[in-house]
Amino acid sequence: MSESATDAAPQRWQDVLPGTSRRAFLATGAGALATLLAACASGTSRTPTGAESSGSAGAAKRGGTLRAGSPPPATSVDPVTTYDGTAIALVQLVAEYLIWLDKDFKLVPRLATKWESDKAGKKWTFTLRDGVTFSDGTKLDAATVKASFDRLLDPKNKSAALSAFDTILGQGGVSTEGASTVVFTLKRPFSDFPYLVSAGNYNAVILKKDYAGDFTKAAIGTGPFLLKTYDVSTGATFVRNPKHWNAPKPYLDGVDVRFYADDQADVVALQSGDIDTQIPSRPALVQPLAGTGDITVDQVKGTAVTVFTLRVDKAPFDRKEVRQAVAYGLDRPALREAIGSGVGDLGNDHLLAPLFPAAPTGIKQRAKDKAKVEELLKAAGVTGGLSFTLTFDPPNKDYAVSIQSQLKEVGITVKLDQRTSKDFYGGDQAKDTPWLFSSANLVNWAGRPVPGQFVTPMVKSGAVWNGSKYANKALDAAADAYDAATTDAERKAQADIIAKALHEDVPIIVTYWSGAVRAYNGKKFTGIQAHPSAFVDFSNVSTV
């Protein structure tokens, strides 16, 4: 993928959607952000109580090395610029965030212990954890945190996190108050701001003030492990960080990450006992292994999604009835089973995933209905049958073929236009890149914990990633109100407006939301979990 495409594409900390190749284990653009910030009352202090992910000090055993399989990194392992899933996983073993996200996308304090906003929702104050040092002995302080975010916000550094802050936080927006307080002054009210400085914005790890790249040769962080060796072809080894602030964690003596370019080779290694777990697991390959031998497969819901985009400003999709007809021509449960390996929730042509607390419950689930398709096409004045071209890149080939087959059953002809990923995301991002300007296309989006991180870039009028060219002033207003809302009730009210507008107008079709799995040797290790964004937190893992 070209640099320009990398800067713009929406994909995702994990591109390992069920049924796709782990060779596509990439992440780009805005970063995977996360669900709603529950009970975020403006002007009041928030000290989250989210539990650490699995494992407990009482049951944990000290010692052992966990062997994990993963694809080779597709990008350099640089916390500032990387958008590759393996590279991010390696960084997460060494460096930490102000806030972690657990498997339910709840906020968990890490380097920050609490955060609060002013009444306007534009000024956020974070209190840092006392007694944290980097692995070289340097003390963590507010100036160091400020330097980390200043680095991410500087366009010349080409951070993959920069677009996540777009319209929300700009250069000069980070300040300090003493050694343990960091203040973020936003461009506009944004009640879900803590997610933007959490693991959900995966480049937002805290690094030393003098960090200048070359992470694999001098990987200094506050995290549970130290990088001992790294080989871009074979893997990386990590040892326990004896200076980690969260003693007695980590329980493991080390982690050995082994790179497998082939999906099957990785699975065979798991079955044979050469590795103990996988960083990304492909559901279609590992689910049949659950409960066989020593293998356990953990499964979670998620918000990763492949969006079927219809361009509303040009025929044939300039008629709402035509877009609705296509939506009624799809068998969603069958697509989830065939493409998603049966993992995940059905979609209903809006961007409020069931995992989001504000997800609407009163919109009737859209289902395949041939008679409805015929009725809608007739109302749109379509005679002689509907035909259109669907553009996509290789990871979505199976999805595209399934759509073609299903729509053929209801009298709609789909011509397939497969491009290389470089071509699909390449070109001029302002006027001719296929993923934003083709008549209909399929785009993978990583799970976001905050609905606004789907809605704002994808369907707001004139948005940077609005491939449908959809414009709806009522939706725009609801999206802004959602971002500024300070109560769950307010969020839900605005979410209903957004969801109903999208479901009715159908600029995008969402057939299902992908879940995630992680396979591991349950006879040897405990505390390993799947994560919606394929994040790794091995600090809680111990031998059985």
Side-chain angles (χ1 to χ4, degrees), residues 404-443:
Q404 180 188 49
S405 176
Q406 288 192 0
L407 292 182
K408 183 178 180 180
E409 295 174 1
V410 296
I412 298 175
T413 300
V414 180
K415 300 175 184 178
L416 301 184
D417 175 25
Q418 179 173 312
R419 311 286 184 92
T420 66
S421 293
K422 181 178 181 180
D423 289 341
F424 185 69
Y425 291 106
D428 188 327
Q429 301 295 309
K431 64 181 182 181
D432 63 13
T433 182
W435 78 278
L436 291 177
F437 289 93
S438 52
S439 177
N441 59 60
L442 295 173
V443 176

Side-chain angles (χ1 to χ4, degrees), residues 77-153:
V77 184
D78 182 347
V80 176
T81 61
T82 190
Y83 56 88
D84 165 74
T86 295
I88 293 164
L90 300 181
V91 169
Q92 289 177 338
L93 293 171
V94 173
E96 294 179 302
Y97 304 87
L98 294 178
I99 305 167
W100 182 250
L101 294 177
D102 71 6
K103 63 188 297 182
D104 296 318
F105 280 152
K106 291 185 175 66
L107 298 165
V108 180
R110 284 291 168 90
L111 298 182
T113 57
K114 68 177 182 178
W115 44 91
E116 60 185 358
S117 70
D118 63 0
K119 290 183 178 180
K122 290 183 64 175
K123 181 177 179 180
W124 285 86
T125 303
F126 285 69
T127 301
L128 302 182
R129 187 178 299 277
D130 291 333
V132 177
T133 61
F134 286 88
S135 52
D136 68 349
T138 302
K139 184 178 179 181
L140 174 73
D141 61 12
T144 302
V145 174
K146 178 182 183 302
S148 289
F149 285 99
D150 286 345
R151 186 183 298 115
L152 297 177
L153 291 165

Side-chain angles (χ1 to χ4, degrees), residues 293-362:
D294 298 336
I295 297 176
T296 298
V297 179
D298 189 38
Q299 178 176 320
V300 294
K301 292 187 175 185
T303 63
V305 63
T306 299
V307 175
F308 182 0
T309 305
L310 306 175
R311 189 165 170 180
V312 305
D313 63 337
K314 290 188 175 182
F317 300 122
D318 53 345
R319 292 294 302 269
K320 178 174 68 175
E321 293 86 356
V322 174
R323 303 192 299 269
Q324 290 175 339
V326 174
Y328 277 109
L330 298 174
D331 184 337
R332 294 152 200 266
L335 286 170
R336 179 178 60 180
E337 187 64 33
I339 311 303
S341 301
V343 179
D345 294 301
L346 291 183
N348 203 17
D349 304 333
H350 59 72
L351 295 171
L352 279 296
L355 187 59
F356 294 145
T361 57

Side-chain angles (χ1 to χ4, degrees), residues 471-532:
N472 183 325
K473 291 182 179 180
L475 181 144
D476 294 346
D480 289 341
Y482 180 96
D483 286 345
T486 58
T487 68
D488 289 342
E490 288 179 89
R491 287 190 186 88
K492 189 164 182 59
Q494 301 305 324
D496 283 346
I497 295 172
I498 295 167
K500 288 175 181 177
L502 293 175
H503 184 269
E504 173 66 19
D505 294 341
V506 203
I508 51 100
I509 294 174
V510 176
T511 61
Y512 72 93
W513 297 87
S514 298
V517 301
R518 179 164 285 147
Y520 65 97
N521 188 323
K523 298 291 180 65
K524 291 180 62 177
F525 291 93
T526 184
I528 298 173
Q529 293 186 326
H531 192 284

Side-chain angles (χ1 to χ4, degrees), residues 203-226:
N203 299 94
V205 292
I206 305 305
L207 304 171
K208 288 185 60 181
K209 284 185 283 188
D210 60 356
Y211 175 74
D214 211 4
F215 187 79
T216 56
K217 292 184 178 179
I220 299 172
T222 64
F225 297 97
L226 309 175

Side-chain angles (χ1 to χ4, degrees), residues 172-377:
V174 188
S175 60
T176 64
E177 293 180 359
S180 60
T181 303
V182 182
V183 179
F184 297 89
T185 302
L186 311 186
K187 297 178 180 179
R188 62 183 176 92
F190 196 79
S191 63
D192 284 329
F193 178 73
Y195 285 102
L196 299 190
V197 297
S198 76
N201 193 357
Y202 47 80
N203 299 94
V205 292
I206 305 305
L207 304 171
K208 288 185 60 181
K209 284 185 283 188
D210 60 356
Y211 175 74
D214 211 4
F215 187 79
T216 56
K217 292 184 178 179
I220 299 172
T222 64
F225 297 97
L226 309 175
L227 179 62
K228 184 178 179 182
T229 66
Y230 175 75
D231 186 296
V232 68
S233 300
T234 60
T237 61
F238 300 81
V239 296
R240 184 176 183 273
N241 179 5
K243 298 179 181 179
H244 191 231
W245 57 269
N246 198 18
K249 298 177 183 178
Y251 306 120
L252 296 170
D253 289 333
V255 177
D256 180 4
V257 179
R258 302 179 183 182
F259 298 154
Y260 295 89
D262 180 76
D263 293 348
Q264 294 291 346
D266 198 342
V267 172
V268 169
L270 180 68
Q271 289 179 287
S272 67
D274 287 343
I275 59 174
D276 307 304
T277 189
Q278 297 173 308
I279 290 177
S281 287
R282 186 177 172 190
L285 294 180
V286 302
Q287 282 187 308
L289 306 179
T292 64
D294 298 336
I295 297 176
T296 298
V297 179
D298 189 38
Q299 178 176 320
V300 294
K301 292 187 175 185
T303 63
V305 63
T306 299
V307 175
F308 182 0
T309 305
L310 306 175
R311 189 165 170 180
V312 305
D313 63 337
K314 290 188 175 182
F317 300 122
D318 53 345
R319 292 294 302 269
K320 178 174 68 175
E321 293 86 356
V322 174
R323 303 192 299 269
Q324 290 175 339
V326 174
Y328 277 109
L330 298 174
D331 184 337
R332 294 152 200 266
L335 286 170
R336 179 178 60 180
E337 187 64 33
I339 311 303
S341 301
V343 179
D345 294 301
L346 291 183
N348 203 17
D349 304 333
H350 59 72
L351 295 171
L352 279 296
L355 187 59
F356 294 145
T361 57
I363 301 176
K364 184 178 179 181
Q365 175 64 54
R366 187 164 274 149
K368 187 170 184 176
D369 187 334
K370 185 176 181 179
K372 188 73 172 177
V373 172
E374 294 171 350
E375 174 190 330
L376 288 164
L377 291 180

